[in-house]
Amino acid sequence: MRELGEHLRNHAEDYRDAVHSHFFSTVAQARQIFALSMKDTHPSMAPALAWVLENLEDGEVRGDVAKRMALMGREHRRHGFPPEVYPQFEASLIHGLGVLGLTPHQHEVAARTISRICALMQEAAQLDDASGIPPAHSAQVVAVEKPNRRTAVVRLESGVPLEYRAGQHVPVTSQITPGTWRLLTPAAPADPSGQLTFHVALAGEASSMLAMAQPGDWWTLGAPAGEPVTLDSSTTLISFGTGWAGARALLLDALPDLPVGLRVVVVAPTPGKHYDTEFRANLMALVPSLDIQHIVRDAHDPWLLGATAPAEGFEPLVAEEPMDPVLARGTDRRFVLIGPADRVEVAQAALLKGGVPPESVVTEGWQRGSEWTASAAELDGWGDDWEAWAAWKKSQWA
């Protein structure tokens, strides 16, 4: 069903709008829960359904796909809907197929798949409800720091500690972004006192709104998700921008037994966009064997960046292609890439082109909908021309 999945991706907005028009007319309270802007409401709906259709096994939702749908059912409890709403949501999803111009066979496959997805999600949500697992947490902003004008370090306190593993991400919304959720990674391991820290970049409307948080604001946090990576002596951990939050949490979680031989590479466009450098300096002083390298594309900061002074001795390496100095130190390692999905994918392509085996690259890219991309299909079109693919990906966010 790859062709059907591709067709759905090509008409994602039409399908999403048709589904929502039907759902909002049948479940009136839904309009108060989701974002006012239609483009910010369920942006991953069509890509997620397309991904399932592309990964059916003999036309059925099985194995890892079924597990992922059940996980999504548990995660979506944060929206506040009871599990009993799924039959109505199923009807809206099937109603939306009418705008796609499907053949009878395609419509039958899609409708059957939707019914199975909704059943899995409903069952998982009911199980968590019965187990007393909270669907979401509230946390209050207690402090906000601005290391530069493009980054905010937001500290919160939750009355009930949020249980998560270092490196997992958390869906977040706030009073000023109702119905719009962003995935953020806590910058430290779980704290039994309920304290949390997030690094937020001014990138996109909702993330920028979160970055402008003020003490006293209330945020809502959904269930943690993601499978954290492990660090060993052959790992090179590479972060991009605020992806440093995830890398930071993993490093703190591994203390005091950080693997000897572990390398850390922190990439940012310019020196002033590197932040938290005092923490890194202290970490290197605490663990002298830890190898941390800072890389920038440009030695000069943009005008009015307003960056705070870096730690003493901070001297980033300038490289137009950040992965060149990484490759120069050898390819016989395991590379873990954390940060915005577009930058992670470009770096991944550079590593593969440089001779790193695909199985040695682990990506933790975060971006709305990126978890549902048809990456394999996208790469097939480029064959072995990693350079052309990387240039194309770079053009998508330049």
Side-chain angles (χ1 to χ4, degrees):
M1 284 289 109
R2 183 167 295 278
E3 297 82 3
L4 179 54
E6 182 179 358
H7 181 67
L8 180 55
R9 292 181 191 278
N10 292 336
H11 297 84
E13 292 187 5
D14 293 337
Y15 176 71
R16 180 198 61 201
D17 292 352
V19 172
H20 284 145
S21 295
H22 186 270
F23 189 56
F24 293 158
S25 66
T26 55
V27 184
Q29 64 269 35
R31 202 66 196 91
Q32 302 174 3
I33 293 175
F34 292 112
L36 294 177
S37 170
M38 187 68 79
K39 67 182 179 62
D40 289 323
T41 302
H42 263 150
S44 299
M45 176 192 296
L49 178 55
W51 181 86
V52 174
L53 291 168
E54 292 161 350
N55 288 277
L56 294 176
E57 296 182 20
D58 299 323
E60 300 294 334
V61 180
R62 297 174 180 163
D64 290 340
V65 177
K67 292 178 182 177
R68 195 165 176 182
M69 293 301 100
L71 175 61
M72 190 162 65
R74 293 194 291 272
E75 292 176 348
H76 281 199
R77 295 169 65 233
R78 68 179 186 265
H79 293 299
F81 285 113
E84 290 71 26
V85 82
Y86 273 101
Q88 293 165 288
F89 187 47
E90 175 187 339
S92 296
L93 288 169
I94 294 175
H95 173 83
L97 297 174
V99 303
L100 299 178
L102 304 181
T103 65
H105 173 67
Q106 289 174 326
H107 189 282
E108 190 274 330
V109 171
R112 185 176 69 244
T113 301
I114 288 170
S115 295
R116 178 57 177 155
I117 288 172
C118 288
L120 287 168
M121 293 178 69
Q122 180 178 12
E123 181 180 348
Q126 289 172 329
L127 184 60
D128 272 14
D129 281 355
S131 300
I133 299 173
H137 288 73
S138 291
Q140 188 172 36
V141 176
V142 295
V144 181
E145 300 173 13
K146 297 289 182 67
N148 59 57
R149 286 193 171 92
R150 305 298 302 172
T151 309
V153 176
V154 184
R155 307 184 191 282
L156 304 99
E157 289 184 356
S158 173
V160 178
L162 181 65
E163 296 182 7
Y164 62 89
R165 289 178 290 162
Q168 285 191 301
H169 52 258
V170 179
V172 174
T173 191
S174 74
Q175 297 162 302
I176 55 177
T177 58
T180 301
W181 298 77
R182 290 293 178 269
L183 294 179
L184 300 179
T185 304
D191 187 315
S193 68
Q195 298 186 41
L196 294 148
T197 301
F198 294 107
H199 298 171
V200 189
L202 272 78
E205 183 178 349
S207 293
S208 296
M209 294 295 284
L210 290 173
M212 291 188 285
Q214 297 293 323
D217 290 352
W218 283 94
W219 286 14
T220 301
L221 315 175
E227 188 63 34
V229 299
T230 56
L231 305 178
D232 57 38
S233 58
S234 65
T235 298
T236 295
L237 178 62
I238 307 174
S239 71
F240 302 84
T242 50
W244 165 246
R248 187 183 194 274
L250 290 170
L251 293 170
L252 283 171
D253 191 54
L255 287 174
D257 301 315
L258 280 173
V260 176
L262 171 68
R263 297 177 188 169
V264 180
V265 179
V266 189
V267 181
T270 66
K273 292 187 179 180
H274 277 283
Y275 63 97
D276 206 25
T277 56
E278 289 287 356
F279 171 86
R280 297 172 202 162
N282 292 336
L283 188 60
M284 287 188 284
L286 179 66
V287 187
S289 63
L290 182 61
D291 181 344
I292 298 183
Q293 182 180 43
H294 299 93
I295 297 177
V296 296
R297 292 179 180 272
D298 191 329
H300 304 286
D301 286 328
W303 189 50
L304 293 180
L305 180 63
T308 56
E312 184 178 353
F314 174 73
E315 294 182 1
L317 175 67
V318 180
E320 183 177 351
E321 172 44 66
M323 293 303 100
D324 284 349
V326 174
L327 289 166
R329 301 187 67 183
T331 59
D332 57 339
R333 295 180 64 80
R334 173 174 170 263
F335 297 88
V336 176
L337 313 180
I338 303 178
D342 43 20
R343 300 182 191 181
V344 164
E345 289 176 351
V346 170
Q348 177 188 21
L351 291 175
L352 295 174
K353 181 176 181 292
V356 178
E359 63 272 14
S360 297
V361 181
V362 179
T363 60
E364 293 290 327
W366 35 263
Q367 182 169 301
R368 284 195 304 167
S370 65
E371 68 271 31
W372 308 112
T373 56
S375 298
E378 182 179 273
L379 287 172
D380 283 346
W382 295 98
D384 294 325
D385 194 350
W386 296 105
E387 186 172 8
W389 181 79
W392 175 79
K393 287 302 295 184
K394 189 178 296 185
S395 71
Q396 305 304 297
W397 56 273

